[in-house]
Amino acid sequence: MGDTPGSQTVTTKLQRIAEQARNYPGMVFDNVYHLIDFDFLKEAYRQTNKKGVAGIDKVTARQYAEGLEGNLKNLHERLRCNQYVVPPVERVWIDKEDGKKRPIGKPCFEDKIVQRAAVMILEAIFDRDFYEFSHGFRKGHSQHQAVQELWEQCRKWNISWIVDADVSGFFDNIAHDYLREFIVRRVKDGGIKRLIGKWLKARVLDAGELRFPDKGTQQGGVISPLLANIFLHNVLDRWYVEVVKPRLKGRSFLIRFADDFIIGCEMEEDAQRVMAALPERFSRFKLKIHPEKTKMVRFKKPSSQDKTDKSNGTFDFLGFTHYWGKSLRGYWIVKRKTAGKRLRRSMKAIWKWCRENRHIPIKEQYETLSSKLRGHYQYYGIIGNYKNLEKVFRHLKKAWRYWLGKRSGKGYVTYEKFDAVFGKYMPLPTPRITHSI
């Protein structure tokens, strides 16, 4: 299906804004809110994820679509007359790798459309300012690009030290005053500023209690990743490029994906200076560098005479553990494997799913488990990580076989019977490398 005339008009408007932002880096946009008309909202609706759960109003994407034209016209009128009210955001808590809980917001579907419309405008402006080493939640960028760039930078610049940093509760602690200051450097439009203010102040329903946040942005919101990028572009990226890097004695690099970032240094002295400067820099903007999770790792390429790598450390970035190892030809290279915490989390989630869903039709179980495996391979299927893919594959077969046995009442299904039936009629996707990085 091709783009509609309305969609093409919206694209043209955004391209014009992006071109202005690129050609005039100092330009401040103060007249863009009017772009959010009916056609713009219709395109924002098209780009909004329809699979998410309903918000506090319990209206699903399907229900909203039943009266789409009228709903969007009504929404446009409320936005035009400054009568749009951001509904409360329901907060849920999900498990983190360290055993703690992470808060996730569930905005209402209509609010997701408005957030998407604002993101479309703000992205056209701010994305031209962002550096290429910022890969999080940007079109044309991905986690795998960040991992690939990390590999290339370590090899190219003779990197010997890695600063593996962690920002404590970043999304929950973004300072609203600084965020607004960073936004108005490029966008002073009153309508856009009011919308962002409403989202930052949106009430949060947490365990039946309404809360009024004075800092942070809701993870789960459509606009939150972009606001995070704007914040860290000013707090970290520009500071590194304009202040830190020129003062280092050796070569270095920064790679960032949202609030996860790595700084590589050629010289130990430079890495120590960065380690000392990071807490002070983030503290200035009311954020804290985690003192225990932030570390400096020796990551120097071993000499060709070394048979083992005992002096170097390892670090995790974007779900992969990075370490020096030997290639099949005997050369030292940077290798990647699934991080231990991620591997354990995936296997635990598989076991739990098989236990909780053992009574649904087997065909449905097969389709869901196959989808889980394909998704796992799609992310972790990089060169050098095949063994860990096999671990997940074998674990899933074990979990499924075990809980199917519990379902039958016999308590046990032999491997022979399992493979004879499922290997022939419902073969699970086998491990495969999907990325040649």
Side-chain angles (χ1 to χ4, degrees):
M1 254 179 85
D3 291 339
T4 64
S7 174
Q8 292 173 351
T9 302
V10 170
T11 301
T12 301
K13 291 178 180 178
L14 292 174
Q15 287 174 343
R16 190 177 302 127
I17 292 175
E19 186 176 344
Q20 290 177 322
R22 180 172 53 252
N23 294 338
Y24 305 98
M27 181 177 180
V28 179
F29 293 79
D30 58 5
N31 189 26
V32 290
Y33 182 71
H34 73 280
L35 295 174
I36 306 179
D37 56 16
F38 174 79
D39 285 336
F40 205 95
L41 289 171
K42 198 168 186 178
E43 177 61 16
Y45 164 80
R46 189 185 70 83
Q47 294 186 23
T48 300
N49 179 18
K50 314 296 191 299
K51 297 180 181 180
V53 295
I56 196 171
D57 61 359
K58 305 304 179 185
V59 177
T60 64
R62 178 176 293 183
Q63 291 171 331
Y64 195 87
E66 290 174 357
L68 183 61
E69 297 284 322
N71 287 334
L72 291 181
K73 287 179 180 178
N74 179 273
L75 175 59
H76 173 236
E77 184 64 19
R78 281 179 281 143
L79 287 168
R80 188 182 68 82
C81 298
N82 251 343
Q83 295 176 344
Y84 179 72
V85 177
V86 174
V89 177
E90 185 178 359
R91 176 179 287 173
V92 296
W93 296 82
I94 62 173
D95 294 330
K96 292 176 61 176
E97 295 170 354
D98 57 6
K100 297 181 180 179
K101 300 283 187 179
R102 183 193 305 277
I104 299 293
K106 291 165 45 180
C108 295
F109 182 75
E110 184 175 73
D111 195 51
K112 291 181 182 179
I113 297 174
V114 183
Q115 289 190 37
R116 175 56 61 193
V119 166
M120 288 159 60
I121 292 174
L122 294 173
E123 270 186 347
I125 298 169
F126 282 98
D127 200 70
R128 275 70 202 163
D129 297 340
F130 296 156
Y131 294 102
E132 283 301 300
F133 57 71
S134 171
H135 295 283
F137 307 105
R138 297 177 61 194
K139 293 177 182 177
H141 293 258
S142 69
Q143 292 101 321
H144 295 101
Q145 279 185 310
V147 171
Q148 174 70 8
E149 185 177 322
L150 173 59
W151 182 87
E152 291 175 351
Q153 297 281 29
C154 286
R155 178 181 59 86
K156 181 179 179 181
W157 299 121
N158 193 32
I159 296 301
S160 300
W161 294 89
I162 294 290
V163 176
D164 180 8
D166 183 274
V167 185
S168 297
F170 170 70
F171 282 92
D172 298 331
N173 293 291
I174 290 178
H176 292 174
D177 52 349
Y178 283 115
L179 178 58
R180 290 190 180 95
E181 176 187 326
F182 298 149
I183 290 173
V184 298
R185 291 178 183 177
R186 277 297 234 167
V187 179
K188 283 189 176 180
D189 186 290
I192 297 294
K193 287 164 60 180
R194 281 192 296 273
L195 275 180
I196 292 175
K198 289 178 180 180
W199 287 318
L200 293 179
K201 295 178 181 178
R203 294 164 294 169
V204 176
L205 182 64
D206 188 353
E209 182 181 347
L210 274 177
R211 304 179 185 274
F212 300 84
D214 58 1
K215 60 181 178 179
T217 67
Q218 286 293 327
Q219 292 188 69
V222 175
I223 200 168
S224 292
L226 178 59
L227 296 181
N229 273 337
I230 293 172
F231 198 90
L232 283 175
H233 170 75
N234 289 276
V235 172
L236 176 65
D237 301 354
R238 284 185 58 196
W239 172 69
Y240 168 79
V241 171
E242 298 174 5
V243 178
V244 176
K245 193 172 183 179
R247 299 181 182 181
L248 300 181
K249 295 182 178 180
R251 293 171 291 189
S252 70
F253 69 80
L254 165 64
I255 297 175
R256 182 173 68 80
F257 192 96
D259 59 325
D260 291 333
F261 65 94
I262 292 290
I263 298 178
C265 297
E266 183 180 13
M267 301 179 65
E268 181 179 5
E269 178 185 350
D270 289 339
Q272 290 173 339
R273 293 179 66 188
V274 171
M275 279 285 290
L278 277 173
E280 182 179 344
R281 173 66 179 179
F282 276 75
S283 176
R284 176 183 168 187
F285 296 95
K286 304 178 183 179
L287 290 173
K288 185 179 180 182
I289 294 293
H290 200 295
E292 297 172 1
K293 294 182 180 180
T294 301
K295 59 183 180 178
M296 196 173 92
V297 180
R298 188 181 188 277
F299 203 70
K300 185 176 183 179
K301 181 180 180 180
S303 66
S304 56
Q305 288 78 28
D306 291 338
K307 294 183 178 180
T308 59
D309 177 25
K310 295 182 179 180
S311 59
N312 278 327
T314 67
F315 63 93
D316 292 347
F317 184 56
L318 298 180
F320 295 97
T321 296
H322 302 256
Y323 63 101
W324 281 102
K326 284 201 170 184
S327 68
L328 294 176
R329 296 184 178 181
Y331 300 113
W332 285 106
I333 59 172
V334 176
K335 291 188 171 185
R336 289 72 52 98
K337 62 182 179 181
T338 308
K341 289 182 179 179
R342 291 288 186 93
L343 186 62
R344 290 189 292 272
R345 185 178 71 180
S346 296
M347 295 168 74
K348 182 179 179 181
I350 288 169
W351 191 268
K352 180 181 178 182
W353 191 93
C354 290
R355 182 185 72 237
E356 294 178 349
N357 295 275
R358 64 186 183 274
H359 293 300
I360 68 174
I362 291 180
K363 184 70 181 302
E364 290 184 24
Q365 293 188 48
Y366 166 72
E367 291 173 351
T368 299
L369 291 173
S370 295
S371 177
K372 289 180 180 292
L373 281 176
R374 283 191 290 267
H376 188 86
Y377 302 156
Q378 185 60 38
Y379 187 82
Y380 292 104
I382 67 174
I383 293 174
N385 196 34
Y386 190 83
K387 288 183 178 179
N388 280 318
L389 300 184
E390 279 191 317
K391 286 182 181 179
V392 172
F393 175 72
R394 290 196 299 268
H395 178 79
L396 187 144
K397 284 183 65 178
K398 177 182 178 181
W400 197 24
R401 182 183 66 86
Y402 177 84
W403 288 110
L404 283 179
K406 293 292 184 181
R407 160 186 168 132
S408 68
K410 297 179 181 180
Y412 185 74
V413 176
T414 64
Y415 280 107
E416 292 76 12
K417 184 177 180 180
F418 182 87
D419 289 335
V421 175
F422 294 96
K424 182 177 181 180
Y425 299 105
M426 296 183 185
L428 292 166
T430 54
R432 65 189 184 93
I433 300 300
T434 55
H435 300 279
S436 58
I437 61 175

